[in-house]
Amino acid sequence: LLTTHRFTSHNFFFRTSKGSTPDNANALHILLHQADSTMTDDTHKETSAAESHDIALTPFTLIRYVLSIGMLIFSIIIVGALMFTGNTRVATETNPWVSLIVCILAIVWLTMIEGQQASLVGLPPVDPDLYKDSHPITYKNAALAFKGDNLDRYLMGRQFMVLLVVFVINQCSSPLDPTVDVLGLPDGVKFVFLDIGLAMIVFTCILGQLTTQVNASHMMIDYVNNYFAIFTLYTCFAVEFSGIMHSSYLIQNILSAASGKPIISNEPPKEGFTFAFFWGRVLMSLAILGFCLAVTLVALLNGQTSVAVKYPAIPPALAVVLLFVFMGIVGMLEGMQIAFFAVAKLPASERGTSFFGRKTCELLFKGNGQNLPGFMIGRQLTVVCSFFLVGSFTSLTIEPGTGENIFGVSDSAQSF
């Protein structure tokens, strides 16, 4: 956020210094002064901002850069080759070109979903009037996202969208038959990059998530100054409004009651129809969640998911345990991300008194600030890896019409 305004504030300053709105110029100077104070809090005095934040290009760093780029290129090539063998679900049911195009579009949309979060989570402390004229579409984004509890609604819908897009990528680029030849590669290489999914994890993280998060975190105002961001924002709102994810609100209320900490809201309490409509969607969401969980557990125990094909050595009972372990890892890392974003905006004196909390903050923010980005990169890789593994645990291999439909449902319901 701070580097964003160092980059974009010159437009505001020069425009206001010519006599249009001097209050904004004064406000901006105050903002930049506070930014400088926050950046230097709890750190040694450096000779310049560049020296404190630039990465030294040591041989070890350059080697990692080259290896990362090389692995990205290899991952794209091997996944593309896999698609054109017809050995992915989308390629089998349609054709390889459809699989490739759908995968590319999914990656492109994922870039906006991830980058928009970095922008909208970081912009609330900034006065929207500072970018109202220079970035009008960003202003529209902010006006929608920061009205009432809309930011929470956006985050709820966004999480569903991330999972949906990652699962689509998984269907486009995950092998159905591990024995099919791909570029004549050894079985060990195919197992690591295709069966385990390292290739998908690498190009999804780098192209669809990490690159866009880094850019958006430094250029928050610029990143969402387009109608693609507006479209994505409305899509996330629509997903949340549908009520599919509303069971999460029930868990939020239960934890609030158990901890004795009230839920802070920017909207009046729900009453009448609004109250009934909200809790009606919570009940619907619970029913959907319960049914999905029952279907998944039955399929896992019967060996009717992709995990039984990809990893036949894993027994059904262990597969059930691993499913909840990986989902727990994802939940913890998602919560840590939001918490770290919030804590990063606080001075050290306001970061609480908890022993582990303070130790965590000291580790995150010490030195030249590279530990937090390092955590975010490792977190993203771990989350995407868990997503793809959960995708294997929850993707059914039942062919409708073979008489093996779960709970005896119709073929159309089984396909859905």
Side-chain angles (χ1 to χ4, degrees):
L1 171 61
L2 304 180
T3 52
T4 302
H5 283 281
R6 282 213 170 277
F7 180 83
T8 61
S9 62
H10 300 291
N11 292 333
F12 298 121
F13 174 72
F14 287 124
R15 182 170 61 253
T16 54
S17 64
K18 293 177 181 177
S20 57
T21 52
D23 289 341
N24 279 355
N26 293 333
L28 185 62
H29 286 141
I30 294 172
L31 175 65
L32 291 177
H33 176 73
Q34 292 173 342
D36 287 336
S37 300
T38 304
M39 291 175 69
T40 56
D41 186 30
D42 299 321
T43 62
H44 297 292
K45 292 183 178 180
E46 288 89 10
T47 56
S48 68
E51 290 181 2
S52 64
H53 290 282
D54 283 354
I55 299 174
L57 294 179
T58 63
F60 180 61
T61 301
L62 291 174
I63 290 173
R64 289 190 297 169
Y65 284 170
V66 172
L67 290 176
S68 177
I69 294 173
M71 183 173 290
L72 172 61
I73 294 172
F74 177 73
S75 298
I76 294 173
I77 292 172
I78 190 175
V79 170
L82 172 69
M83 292 179 185
F84 282 92
T85 64
N87 190 30
T88 71
R89 181 171 180 176
V90 177
T92 299
E93 297 180 357
T94 56
N95 66 69
W97 283 106
V98 172
S99 181
L100 178 63
I101 292 171
V102 170
C103 185
I104 292 173
L105 292 177
I107 289 288
V108 170
W109 201 1
L110 185 60
T111 62
M112 178 52 68
I113 295 171
E114 293 289 357
Q116 188 176 45
Q117 181 199 26
S119 293
L120 294 182
V121 169
L123 283 177
V126 182
D127 183 2
D129 287 336
L130 291 174
Y131 52 83
K132 181 178 181 180
D133 296 328
S134 63
H135 297 75
I137 305 179
T138 299
Y139 183 80
K140 292 180 181 178
N141 266 285
L144 285 169
F146 304 151
K147 181 180 179 181
D149 292 332
N150 278 354
L151 186 58
D152 291 337
R153 296 185 179 99
Y154 160 76
L155 292 173
M156 178 79 71
R158 174 208 161 270
Q159 192 62 57
F160 180 86
M161 293 300 300
V162 169
L163 281 166
L164 174 64
V165 171
V166 169
F167 272 69
V168 168
I169 295 171
N170 185 47
Q171 297 298 313
C172 291
S173 54
S174 180
L176 295 176
D177 184 357
T179 63
V180 173
D181 178 67
V182 179
L183 299 177
L185 294 171
D187 291 340
V189 175
K190 289 195 301 179
F191 178 75
V192 172
F193 281 89
L194 296 178
D195 297 344
I196 293 180
L198 180 60
M200 292 178 291
I201 293 168
V202 168
F203 81 75
T204 300
C205 273
I206 295 178
L207 297 181
Q209 297 179 305
L210 291 176
T211 303
T212 186
Q213 287 175 355
V214 169
N215 287 329
S217 66
H218 284 282
M219 305 295 174
M220 294 181 185
I221 296 177
D222 300 286
Y223 196 87
V224 293
N225 192 42
N226 56 80
Y227 285 103
F228 188 26
I230 293 284
F231 171 75
T232 302
L233 184 64
Y234 274 117
T235 302
C236 293
F237 285 159
V239 170
E240 192 277 341
F241 181 79
S242 70
I244 297 174
M245 314 295 291
H246 266 51
S247 54
S248 299
Y249 289 126
L250 176 62
I251 299 173
Q252 180 190 38
N253 280 269
I254 292 173
L255 292 177
S256 174
S259 64
K261 296 182 179 180
I263 299 173
I264 300 175
S265 175
N266 297 319
E267 297 178 353
K270 297 176 176 63
E271 298 176 349
F273 174 77
T274 304
F275 179 87
F277 185 54
F278 174 82
W279 286 106
R281 286 180 292 172
V282 169
L283 293 176
M284 178 192 73
S285 178
L286 285 173
I288 293 173
L289 175 62
F291 178 75
C292 292
L293 187 60
V295 169
T296 301
L297 292 178
V298 169
L300 278 173
L301 294 174
N302 291 341
Q304 296 172 316
T305 68
S306 295
V307 70
V309 178
K310 293 182 177 181
Y311 318 109
I314 298 179
L318 179 59
V320 173
V321 174
L322 291 176
L323 170 65
F324 285 96
V325 167
F326 288 124
M327 288 196 296
I329 291 173
V330 171
M332 174 60 72
L333 291 175
E334 292 289 350
M336 290 171 69
Q337 174 184 237
I338 298 299
F340 291 168
F341 277 156
V343 170
K345 295 182 288 187
L346 299 177
S349 59
E350 297 180 14
R351 290 173 184 164
T353 57
S354 165
F355 173 80
F356 289 107
R358 295 185 69 86
K359 287 294 183 183
T360 301
C361 290
E362 289 174 7
L363 182 61
L364 278 175
F365 304 121
K366 74 175 183 178
N368 66 348
Q370 289 301 307
N371 283 356
L372 179 57
F375 164 80
M376 298 306 294
I377 291 174
R379 185 207 77 88
Q380 196 67 64
L381 285 168
T382 306
V383 166
V384 174
C385 178
S386 299
F387 279 169
F388 280 115
L389 290 172
V390 168
S392 298
F393 283 90
T394 57
S395 296
L396 306 188
T397 57
I398 299 172
E399 290 290 337
T402 59
E404 298 182 355
N405 295 354
I406 291 183
F407 304 140
V409 298
S410 64
D411 289 346
S412 59
Q414 180 66 49
S415 298
F416 178 73

